[in-house]
Amino acid sequence: PIPCVPWQSQTSGQYQRRVHGGQILERFKQLMTEGDMDNAQTLLQILVDIAHEVPKFFMACIEQISPIMEKVGMSDQIVEDTRQLALELLLTILEKDPALVRKNAAFVETVVKVGLQLMLILEEQSNSEWNSEYDHNVDDSPCFDAGQVSLCRLAEEISLKKFLPILLPKIQQLLGNNNWVCKHAAIVAIAQTCEFISSGGINKDELFEKVASFINVAARLRLPRHTGD
């Protein structure tokens, strides 16, 4: 059974938070190991709800949360709703109590990694369908939307000096990947954070050159093919 946690008590001490926070995380890991995904997702939603109300509930086990949620969010073997909840838990803790994790570089990097990973999830579409719909919106995956919005949510809470050195190398890595889905995610990530990149004193020439190169190639691929007489 899912443990009943008196998390609404504002008088809970650190010992109580440590015991119950750790217990819930261990129970979540157990459910995932057992393949009980429905109860695991339910428990993860409970954790998100707790984070909204009492983020300090996680104070003593914050180092455990990041790797566990990273494993969930990065796995394509786990249902998308659960992966989104893993990202949402991290973001909610950050937004509700920034001081709790703001200086935790590993925590911030996990949010970036999971957010970008979810941006690789798009609705499947054949090349013929893609080329026949010039106005088709490929950004219609809930995971994709959650991923791109997470970058802005994160940037609002973290200083650029900490945020950009984590984000930009990962964008560069995606741009360097031959898979167009990775390049697409990188371009949208740049669009989402361009205001922060612009004000961060970053040398943007190389970054935008790669973006322009990909856009030119994509445009050529979408042109009608002509055959000889």
Side-chain angles (χ1 to χ4, degrees):
I2 296 174
C4 180
V5 183
W7 56 271
Q8 291 180 322
S9 172
Q10 298 294 328
T11 60
S12 300
Q14 184 175 356
Y15 176 76
Q16 184 180 11
R17 289 194 299 267
R18 180 174 66 250
V19 171
H20 289 289
Q23 284 179 342
I24 294 179
L25 286 174
E26 286 303 315
R27 179 58 178 150
F28 175 76
K29 288 169 60 179
Q30 182 182 0
L31 290 170
M32 294 295 293
T33 300
E34 294 172 352
D36 189 351
M37 296 304 177
D38 289 342
N39 277 325
Q41 183 174 319
T42 298
L43 185 53
L44 190 51
Q45 181 63 67
I46 291 173
L47 291 175
V48 173
D49 293 341
I50 292 174
H52 270 287
E53 299 295 333
V54 191
K56 281 187 169 56
F57 178 88
F58 301 99
M59 181 184 296
C61 58
I62 199 68
E63 297 298 333
Q64 297 172 256
I65 293 176
S66 181
I68 294 173
M69 295 305 115
E70 178 179 348
K71 187 174 181 179
V72 173
M74 299 294 288
S75 174
D76 59 5
Q77 302 301 310
I78 296 175
V79 297
E80 294 180 12
D81 287 348
T82 301
R83 296 173 69 183
Q84 291 177 60
L85 283 173
L87 177 61
E88 184 61 30
L89 175 59
L90 299 175
L91 285 167
T92 301
I93 293 172
L94 174 64
E95 290 173 336
K96 294 300 181 179
D97 194 344
L100 191 60
V101 292
R102 183 176 282 155
K103 296 181 180 180
N104 189 328
F107 189 98
V108 175
E109 182 168 6
T110 295
V111 177
V112 173
K113 287 173 63 177
V114 174
L116 291 174
Q117 186 69 23
L118 294 187
M119 290 176 67
L120 302 181
I121 301 176
L122 301 174
E123 297 295 327
E124 292 188 6
Q125 188 179 36
S126 68
N127 288 337
S128 60
E129 289 175 324
W130 168 262
N131 286 320
S132 67
E133 300 181 31
Y134 286 89
D135 61 346
H136 182 75
N137 179 17
V138 299
D139 311 345
D140 54 2
S141 161
C143 272
F144 183 94
D145 291 340
Q148 64 172 329
V149 170
S150 73
L151 300 179
C152 292
R153 292 172 65 182
L154 180 60
E156 292 291 339
E157 304 295 342
I158 302 297
S159 71
L160 294 182
K161 289 183 179 180
K162 295 177 181 177
F163 178 54
L164 293 180
I166 293 175
L167 175 67
L168 291 179
K170 298 186 184 306
I171 288 179
Q172 291 275 17
Q173 184 178 4
L174 288 171
L175 284 172
N177 194 299
N178 289 329
N179 189 331
W180 76 267
V181 174
C182 293
K183 294 181 185 295
H184 172 264
I187 291 173
V188 176
I190 292 171
Q192 285 291 105
T193 58
C194 61
E195 179 181 349
F196 304 103
I197 293 175
S198 179
S199 61
I202 302 298
N203 185 342
K204 299 175 284 293
D205 291 345
E206 181 181 357
L207 193 63
F208 291 152
E209 182 179 344
K210 290 185 177 181
V211 171
S213 175
F214 171 63
I215 291 174
N216 288 335
V217 170
R220 287 199 301 271
L221 289 175
R222 294 173 72 106
L223 291 175
R225 296 183 179 179
H226 297 280
T227 58
D229 296 332

